[in-house]
Amino acid sequence: MRKLLTAFFLLFYISCYSQNFLSWQFSDRYFSFSVGTGASTYLGELNYNNTINDDISLINFGIEARLLNRIGARLEGSYFSLSGADRNAPDSTFQRQRNLSFQSRNIHFQLHTIYYLKPYQGDYYKRLFFDPYLFSGVGYMKFTPTATLGGEEYKLRDAQTEGVEYKKWVTTIPVGIGAKFKANEFLNFNLEISYHFTFTDYLDDVSSTYASEFANTTAALLSDRKEEVGVVNQEFYDQILPGSPRGNPDNNDSFIQIGIRVEIFLPPDLFTGKNKAIIKKPSAY
């Protein structure tokens, strides 16, 4: 949480220098641009207690359009990291004996529909100080799980640790809640928390069973890492064999994001010529 507050004040500092850029006339504006940061937490086989991560691991940007009295739409892009490790599990568990881990750097594109709990006030600069909202939509994400072995990083998808060649891109379904806080006529500070369902169980490269054949020795070592910790639990140690369960294929992986944003209302003539509009936006009443 302390790191999120630090990022918040950094964004506030940056926004102070944008005031000259924002000194336009007070005509209504329906488009806004946002940039933010935050934390991302992966939920899957390698997060034993579903521990929430508070490290800064997310950068995002988006453009939003106010469509109706309570409805908006947002196009968003983000870059973030996820990680998980069995070493955080208790010694008495199967997970600790399994001893797997992953890190991933991900690119995510999303389209959100936003529902505002309070109606539009008519003029953007007369908006409420506190403006809560709900959102959902669809996303498309590229994920690349990796692991470190012998001081070198390897792409786990290429190793086929479970004998499966899964896709690099996956569809996601984000759902979330947020609130906008008016800083001045042109700026908001937004807080959001979102849960992202995914249509894959391989965000962490762990899903079903141990493979029995590998392309090389490195792939075999990345698949089965019990020997690196020795016998932590004899019963589980003996169970880890080719063809035995490595994960739980019944539940797809997911992740949570908690973030802060600076939102800037764009001038009404941003998409126009000097006098002729290229894009015209109807009233949001």
Side-chain angles (χ1 to χ4, degrees), residues 97 226 231 233-242 244:
Q97 184 66 74
K226 68 178 182 180
V231 180
N233 183 300
Q234 187 68 55
E235 178 184 358
F236 294 136
Y237 180 91
D238 295 337
Q239 291 177 7
I240 297 176
L241 298 168
S244 65

Side-chain angles (χ1 to χ4, degrees), residues 151 267 269:
D269 57 350

